[in-house]
Amino acid sequence: MKIAQIYTGCLAQGAYYIESNGEVAIIDPLREVQDYIDRAEKDNAKIKYIFETHFHADFVSGHVTLAEKTGAKIVFGPTAQTNFDALIAEDNQVFTIGNITITALHTPGHTMESTCYLLKDENGKDHALFSGDTLFLGDVGRPDLAQKGNITEKDLAGFLYDSLRTKVMTLADDVIVYPAHGAGSACGKNLSKETVGTIGNQKETNYALRANMTKEEFIKEVTDGLLPPPAYFPLNVKLNKEGYENIDNVIKNSAKPLSAEEFELLANETDAVILDVRHQSEFSKGFIPQSIFIGLGGTFAPWVGALIKDIKQEILLVTPIGEEESTITRLSRVGFDNVIGYLDGSFETWKKSGKEIDVLNAISVAALEEKIAENPLIFDVRKPGEYLSEHALIAENTPLDYLNDHISQFPDKKPFYVHCAGGYRSVIAASILKARGFHNVIDILGGFDAIKNSSIEKSAYVCPSTL
């Protein structure tokens, strides 16, 4: 038996490759599937099943393409309905892969079709639970994404409580837990950075698995403090239910090199967003006016989904040289398939053409300290939890996720300053603000990491896990 967790950091997502005696199961694959096929060929094995723990909201899964390429059967849990051929498992249905078995455990709550998969080893012993978004390490899946008709988030939270108590917490303490997400995912509130745990460890450390927790307490704690989900979530669910275009075709249609003149013409003739994915330090020194920065070095795809929102939006790319196809691939992971070309030769091509460029003004924290007596306007674009944990007293919280809700707070003419934790999100925010005409925005270099070590007055620190 071979189990491999294939973790994609920029999505905070774990897919799984399981092989036994020449047969393979894939759980929650990424949209680009060639790696799974290559692994199976290397093992001289055949991919037999593709298990989906639920209809993912935060990425486009690879189940449809992988089934087309391999003939493997797609498996969803009870109550799932799809527009493509799939096996809808019954609760406790057993699937054989080589010398092991995988049992579908229907665990509604995060969504109604949510299903965990219990792997029993060659001796029939419970070995591992692929818990999807039902159980994370340190948290459970948010129960507000699949509200329909009369089913409320509190109803779903109640279902989740029952699922955890009857299907998950009854497993032995040494059963390994392989979740679908880790820290950084928007599918839960406080996920651990760890990506592999055990049932016993989660019973001891996960607030949602407290032994003496009532259903009422669970519902209150799980639903408390949930922020609105990113706008692209329902659009990704729709793709995962109804199917989507093969990623090979997406890359073929999108990877079109453009000269500066062609790039400018397309930008003028379409409503395309110019998306610059270079490092923030490179972007700040020079970029095409009206560009939006979302760098590949951060949690790229989720920020694209959260900020551009409409997956049908046309996009023109400025990427590091050689990163064009990988950028298109990473966009397609969250359903953004409408890249209409990229600037051939990256930003240097634009500069050499003599066309207009823009720059982002920045200030060091040391220089900012000298201006504090003037009561400068400072905006902190971190998440509310980060802000509450500790912040500069003079700063307002305008989270990047909801920047549009705070536009009226930014002055038209007076200089103002933005920061995040380290400098990635603040440059995204500044690029959006500049594109909207706020050329008086100034980025604080080093973000709150630098402010913490300055004389700028700050709030008392509160451990984020206690908020």
Side-chain angles (χ1 to χ4, degrees):
M1 178 176 64
K2 180 185 297 183
I3 300 174
Q5 182 185 63
I6 304 165
Y7 200 77
T8 303
C10 68
L11 282 177
Q13 190 267 345
Y16 297 94
Y17 173 96
I18 304 157
E19 189 273 337
S20 174
N21 197 29
E23 294 185 334
V24 169
I26 306 293
I27 297 180
D28 293 338
L30 281 182
R31 187 169 178 182
E32 68 271 28
V33 300
Q34 192 57 45
D35 181 56
Y36 314 121
I37 296 170
D38 292 344
R39 283 173 183 253
E41 288 180 352
K42 186 177 179 182
D43 289 338
N44 194 28
K46 177 179 174 58
I47 299 177
K48 186 176 183 181
Y49 292 115
I50 305 156
F51 293 102
E52 290 287 340
T53 54
H54 63 296
F55 291 120
H56 306 282
D58 56 330
F59 71 102
V60 180
S61 184
H63 52 297
V64 174
T65 304
L66 187 56
E68 289 173 352
K69 289 192 172 187
T70 65
K73 184 63 97 177
I74 300 170
V75 180
F76 275 93
T79 77
Q81 296 180 334
T82 68
N83 286 12
F84 44 82
D85 184 35
L87 191 163
I88 308 303
E90 297 177 0
D91 191 19
N92 292 314
Q93 185 167 344
V94 178
F95 299 85
T96 300
I97 295 97
N99 298 327
I100 64 173
T101 63
I102 289 180
T103 302
L105 301 178
H106 188 208
T107 50
H110 173 62
T111 65
M112 288 307 292
E113 80 285 356
S114 280
T115 297
C116 295
Y117 295 100
L118 178 63
L119 186 155
K120 293 177 183 284
D121 65 17
E122 295 86 345
N123 300 313
K125 181 181 183 300
D126 293 350
H127 178 79
L129 183 74
F130 300 90
S131 58
D133 285 20
T134 296
L135 175 65
F136 300 127
L137 304 184
D139 205 346
V140 292
R142 56 190 296 173
D144 61 320
L145 301 180
Q147 302 175 71
K148 284 183 180 176
N150 294 324
I151 300 179
T152 68
E153 68 178 30
K154 291 187 176 179
D155 293 331
L156 287 163
F159 295 145
L160 184 56
Y161 177 88
D162 292 336
S163 293
L164 290 164
R165 262 66 188 172
T166 61
K167 301 286 183 68
V168 174
M169 294 175 68
T170 51
L171 297 172
D173 285 352
D174 64 350
V175 171
I176 300 168
V177 176
Y178 289 114
H181 294 294
S185 168
C187 293
K189 292 188 295 186
N190 191 29
L191 282 67
S192 167
K193 292 180 180 178
E194 302 298 321
T195 61
V196 180
T198 64
I199 292 290
N201 175 263
Q202 287 308 295
K203 286 179 181 175
E204 292 178 0
T205 61
N206 190 324
Y207 76 98
L209 301 191
R210 286 201 311 271
N212 61 351
M213 193 178 208
T214 67
K215 181 182 284 191
E216 289 71 26
E217 290 172 336
F218 179 89
I219 292 171
K220 183 179 185 306
E221 293 185 36
V222 167
T223 58
D224 187 42
L226 286 174
L227 296 172
Y232 76 104
F233 270 27
L235 304 176
N236 276 203
V237 170
K238 182 177 171 64
L239 289 173
N240 285 322
K241 280 184 177 179
E242 299 180 358
Y244 46 79
E245 188 171 5
N246 188 307
I247 194 171
D248 297 338
N249 295 334
V250 174
I251 293 172
K252 182 180 177 182
N253 294 332
S254 299
K256 297 175 181 173
L258 301 169
S259 67
E261 289 71 26
E262 292 170 327
F263 193 94
E264 184 177 47
L265 186 63
L266 269 178
N268 290 334
E269 290 184 343
T270 69
D271 291 324
V273 167
I274 300 174
L275 179 61
D276 194 321
V277 305
R278 297 173 294 151
H279 190 276
Q280 56 265 34
S281 63
E282 292 299 312
F283 177 85
S284 297
K285 287 185 281 188
F287 55 88
I288 299 172
Q290 304 293 311
S291 297
I292 300 299
F293 163 78
I294 304 178
L296 292 172
T299 48
F300 170 69
W303 279 121
V304 169
L307 297 172
I308 297 182
K309 300 182 179 178
D310 182 0
I311 62 174
K312 294 182 180 177
Q313 171 67 53
E314 290 181 326
I315 295 172
L316 283 162
L317 284 176
V318 180
T319 78
I321 294 173
E323 297 286 342
E324 298 86 1
E325 286 197 9
S326 66
T327 303
I328 294 166
T329 298
R330 291 174 67 174
L331 286 168
S332 72
R333 287 176 181 166
V334 284
F336 287 80
D337 292 351
N338 290 319
V339 172
I340 58 176
Y342 66 86
L343 184 60
D344 194 14
S346 193
F347 185 65
E348 284 301 310
T349 296
W350 189 266
K351 280 175 59 179
K352 288 177 182 174
S353 74
K355 297 183 184 299
E356 183 183 0
I357 67 170
D358 202 350
V359 297
L360 176 59
N361 292 324
I363 189 170
S364 69
V365 169
L368 183 64
E369 285 179 290
E370 298 176 3
K371 294 178 178 289
I372 286 297
E374 303 170 13
N375 287 322
L377 290 170
I378 299 177
F379 296 94
D380 181 340
V381 301
R382 296 177 300 161
K383 293 182 181 296
E386 295 174 274
Y387 179 81
L388 291 172
S389 175
E390 190 178 16
H391 61 269
L393 290 182
I394 197 171
E396 297 288 332
N397 188 211
T398 54
L400 176 60
D401 312 56
Y402 311 105
L403 199 67
N404 287 335
D405 298 337
H406 298 277
I407 289 296
S408 63
Q409 294 176 240
F410 300 107
D412 291 332
K413 296 177 181 176
K414 184 179 179 181
F416 65 92
Y417 305 86
V418 295
H419 77 81
C420 58
Y424 176 77
R425 287 173 288 178
S426 63
V427 175
I428 296 176
S431 73
I432 294 172
L433 290 168
K434 283 188 73 76
R436 287 172 172 252
F438 292 93
H439 295 288
N440 44 332
V441 60
I442 301 167
D443 181 44
I444 300 173
L445 295 170
F448 193 71
D449 290 344
I451 291 173
K452 276 195 296 190
N453 298 314
S454 75
S455 63
I456 296 174
E457 196 172 1
K458 296 166 280 291
S459 64
Y461 174 76
V462 179
C463 179
S465 63
T466 65
L467 290 170

